[in-house]
Each structure stands twice: as C-alpha cells, then as structure tokens.
C-alpha cells in the first residue's frame, strides 16, 4: 500500500504570509498540533507546531558561553508570559516555523512511513508530489488503514 492510498487530501495548511495568530486560530479550530506552511504554488516551505509556539512563549534563560580564558553571559528575557504571547501573535509564521521539514513522496510504502514516524517520534508527515503538497498522513491514518486491511476495524 502506498502513501497516496491512505493520505488525507483535505490538508489544513497555512500560507507563508500568515501571522502566528492565524496559525493558532487554525490549530484550535481544527484540533491539530501542527500545520504545513506553503507558498503560492502550494509547495511545502515550512512546518509549524505547538512545540515552536511553546519555545517562543517559554521563559528564555541566561546562557553562559565560555572557554578557558573567556566567558560571556547572554541574558535571557525578563518579559512575562503574557508579553511574550502578545508579541508572538503578531509575528509572521516564517519567523518561528521550522524550514527543515520531513516530507514523503506519494509513492512511498506505508510500512516505510510507519517506521519513519516511529523512529523520528513525529505524529504526521506531509505528502508531496512534484514538489506540491497533496496530502498528509498521521499515525492514526496508518493504524486505521492497517486494521481495516485485516478486517479488524477498531474505529
């Protein structure tokens, strides 16, 4: 079985021009923890997850860089959570999204996708064809299709 046979083609995505506010609204509206980011040609350019948002709103601690002869302290921030959250909402999605994105071809075997998702400990992966985003596959999609194949549908 190939990726294109089980992928969800109704992909909830955002464009690279959108604000983080728009992304968060989409995540909440659709109950997802991450979204692909595409350009005007529907090419995958980044992925934004709840982890990216958490890293931004979390307290930034002091960082000490040092060698035998020199030490430098890079100060974190003293802003409170609300200040960081407010600042985050106005950012462009590309300012915090990950541009190194795992993706797969629509012709990849499902068992290879399952192994990859397990190894990398990720929940879902975008599916591309000729550079364009055509679908997304989650762990649940793989489990659902596997157990339907064996006639033991759980869902």
């Amino acid at each position: 079985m190939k990726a294109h046979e089980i992928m969800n083609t109704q992909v909830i995505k955002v464009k690279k021009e959108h604000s983080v506010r728009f992304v968060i609204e989409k995540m909440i509206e659709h109950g997802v923890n991450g979204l692909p980011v595409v350009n005007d040609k529907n090419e995958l350019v980044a992925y934004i997850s709840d982890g990216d948002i958490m890293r931004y709103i979390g307290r930034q601690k002091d960082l000490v860089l040092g060698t035998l002869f020199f030490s430098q302290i890079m100060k974190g921030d003293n802003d409170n959570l609300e200040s960081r959250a407010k600042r985050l909402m106005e950012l462009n999605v590309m300012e915090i999204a990950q541009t190194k994105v795992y993706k797969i071809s629509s012709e990849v075997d499902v068992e290879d996708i399952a192994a990859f998702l397990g190894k990398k400990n990720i929940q879902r992966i975008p599916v591309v064809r000729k550079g364009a985003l055509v679908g997304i596959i989650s762990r649940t999609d793989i489990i659902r299709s596997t157990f339907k194949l064996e006639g033991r549908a759980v869902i």
Side-chain angles (χ1 to χ4, degrees), residues 133-148:
L133 180 66
V134 294
I136 197 157
I137 294 179
S138 70
R139 290 176 175 207
T140 303
D141 296 328
I142 293 171
I143 291 168
R144 185 180 296 121
S145 69
T146 299
F147 287 102
K148 282 184 180 176

Side-chain angles (χ1 to χ4, degrees), residues 120-134:
K120 295 295 183 182
N121 197 25
I122 55 178
Q123 298 297 314
R124 64 189 49 80
I125 190 162
V127 181
V128 296
R129 184 180 300 128
K130 296 181 182 175
L133 180 66
V134 294

